[in-house]
Every structure is written in structure tokens, then in C-alpha cells.
């Protein structure tokens, strides 16, 4: 079993990983073709990144939550700085209200999904809910896409976007679960969590 990272490594990984996430996310959106390229616009993907950070930290909920939150907060200016360098966007967007709003979402998602990553290594209900949470947010985002099917403004895009997110959710469950029983239980937990996540997306104004 690999040793757990110390606090210094966690802080360094959070900062550098966040910058890399923001940079790669912009490049992904700009250069990766449809339909996989649409994942660059996915807030669920950032939540899964926070989960993976917590999974890497392994233990220490405070460390995982703080590190994942820092990573997602840093990813926002990383994204917009890359946009400014690559295509000449205005640097002022780094401190615009929308950027600050996304950073706030990053703190919330980082805490929730960073802790979920450590739960995957735990026991009891945490072992089930841990991997269920990242799968649930992907399923919830798939639900948003399903709501758009039939809307002429979106064409066939929502079908593929939903299928990709569902497939990624199942992949997360398969990889994060230790046993088939844990994977089945996590899937069962992910479904009602996905409905709650879909409701949260709608309340937050995602359509």
C-alpha cells in the first residue's frame, strides 16, 4: 500500500493540480471535437476531480476537503488565464463576479467530493456513499441533458452528452468500488442522490 501524502504534498498538489485542471479544461473545450469535447463544460467533471483528489489523499477529511476546495478554486483563474493567453480574452474576467461565483461553487464541491474520496477507503456506509457521490453528480448532469432532448435548440447533442455522462458514472463506480457488492450498493445509493443533485442543479439555475 502506498504511503499517504503529507500536508506539504497535499498543498502542492492542490495548487498545481488546480492550475492544471483549469488549463486543460479550456484546451479540452477548444480543441477536442464533439461529443467528448462537451465534457469541458461539465461541472460534474470538476466534482469528480475533487473526488479523485480526496481518493489520492486517502485519509484526513479536513486535508482532503481543504485540498480539493483549493484545487477547484485555483482551477477557475487557471481556466481564464489560459483563455487570455490562448485566444486573447480579457484578463479582467479573472476577478469578475461570475469567476468569484464559480470559485464559491468550487469550495462547496471541493469539500463534499474531497471528503467522499476519503470515504471510499473507509468502512460501513462511507464505503458505499463515497463512490456513489461522484457517480450521482454525473447522473444528475445526464438528467439535465435528458431534459433537453427534443428541444430544437440542442439537436441531437443531449442524447450523446447524457450517454457519455452515464457511462462515466458507471466507470467511476466500477473503478472506485472494491468489490462487486460495494459497486452494486453504491449504484443503488447513487440513483436517489442523482435525483437530489438534479433538483439542486435546477434550483441553482442550470437548465
Amino acid at each position: 500500500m502506498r504511503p499517504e501524502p503529507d500536508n506539504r504534498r497535499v498543498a502542492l498538489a492542490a495548487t498545481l493540480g488546480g492550475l492544471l485542471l483549469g488549463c486543460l479544461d479550456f484546451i479540452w473545450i477548444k480543441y477536442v471535437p464533439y461529443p467528448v469535447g462537451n465534457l469541458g463544460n461539465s461541472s460534474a467533471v470538476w466534482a469528480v476531480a475533487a473526488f479523485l483528489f480526496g481518493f489520492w489523499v486517502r485519509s484526513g477529511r479536513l486535508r482532503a476537503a481543504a485540498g480539493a476546495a483549493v484545487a477547484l478554486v485555483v482551477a477557475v483563474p487557471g481556466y481564464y488565464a489560459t483563455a487570455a493567453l490562448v485566444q486573447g480574452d480579457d484578463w479582467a474576467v479573472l476577478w469578475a463576479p461570475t469567476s468569484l461565483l464559480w470559485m464559491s461553487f468550487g469550495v462547496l464541491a471541493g469539500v463534499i467530493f474531497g471528503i467522499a474520496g476519503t470515504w471510499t477507503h473507509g468502512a460501513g456506509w462511507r464505503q458505499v456513499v463515497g463512490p456513489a457521490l461522484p457517480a450521482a453528480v454525473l447522473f444528475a448532469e445526464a438528467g439535465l441533458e435528458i431534459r433537453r432532448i427534443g428541444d430544437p435548440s440542442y439537436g441531437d447533442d443531449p442524447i450523446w452528452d447524457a450517454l457519455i455522462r452515464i457511462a462515466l458514472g458507471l466507470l467511476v463506480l466500477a473503478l472506485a468500488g472494491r468489490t462487486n457488492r460495494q459497486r452494486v450498493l453504491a449504484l443503488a445509493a447513487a440513483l436517489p442522490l442523482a435525483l437530489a443533485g438534479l433538483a439542486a442543479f435546477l434550483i441553482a439555475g442550470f437548465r
Side-chain angles (χ1 to χ4, degrees):
M1 182 180 293
R2 66 170 176 80
E4 296 179 6
D6 58 25
N7 290 341
R8 187 176 302 176
R9 287 182 64 197
V10 169
L12 181 63
T15 304
L16 296 182
L19 288 172
L20 184 62
L21 173 63
C23 174
L24 291 179
D25 190 59
F26 174 81
I27 292 173
W28 186 278
I29 292 171
K30 189 171 180 65
Y31 296 109
V32 175
Y34 167 84
V36 181
N38 284 0
L39 285 174
N41 291 314
S42 168
S43 55
V45 169
W46 284 38
V48 172
F51 168 80
L52 292 174
F53 187 91
F55 187 86
W56 171 72
V57 171
R58 293 185 65 85
S59 67
R61 286 174 291 179
L62 180 59
R63 293 194 311 152
V70 167
L72 295 192
V73 168
V74 170
V76 176
Y79 176 94
Y80 288 118
T82 305
L85 291 170
V86 172
Q87 63 183 23
D89 285 6
D90 190 347
W91 286 91
V93 74
L94 269 73
W95 51 86
T98 52
S99 299
L100 298 177
L101 178 62
W102 281 114
M103 290 180 195
S104 299
F105 283 139
V107 172
L108 179 62
V111 170
I112 293 172
F113 292 96
I115 291 174
T118 65
W119 280 353
T120 305
H121 300 289
W125 63 269
R126 293 179 180 84
Q127 209 175 51
V128 172
V129 176
L133 279 169
V137 74
L138 286 162
F139 294 158
E141 208 168 70
L144 284 177
E145 298 296 339
I146 290 170
R147 284 170 52 88
R148 296 168 180 158
I149 295 175
D151 187 333
S153 301
Y154 291 97
D156 294 333
D157 289 7
I159 298 173
W160 290 107
D161 291 339
L163 289 174
I164 289 172
R165 283 157 176 77
I166 291 170
L168 286 176
L170 294 173
L171 179 63
V172 168
L173 290 174
L175 295 179
R178 299 185 199 173
T179 65
N180 288 334
R181 180 177 182 274
Q182 182 187 358
R183 294 180 184 106
V184 170
L185 291 174
L187 175 59
L191 297 179
L193 288 172
L195 291 176
L198 177 58
F201 275 133
L202 295 174
I203 293 170
F206 291 83
R207 292 291 185 269

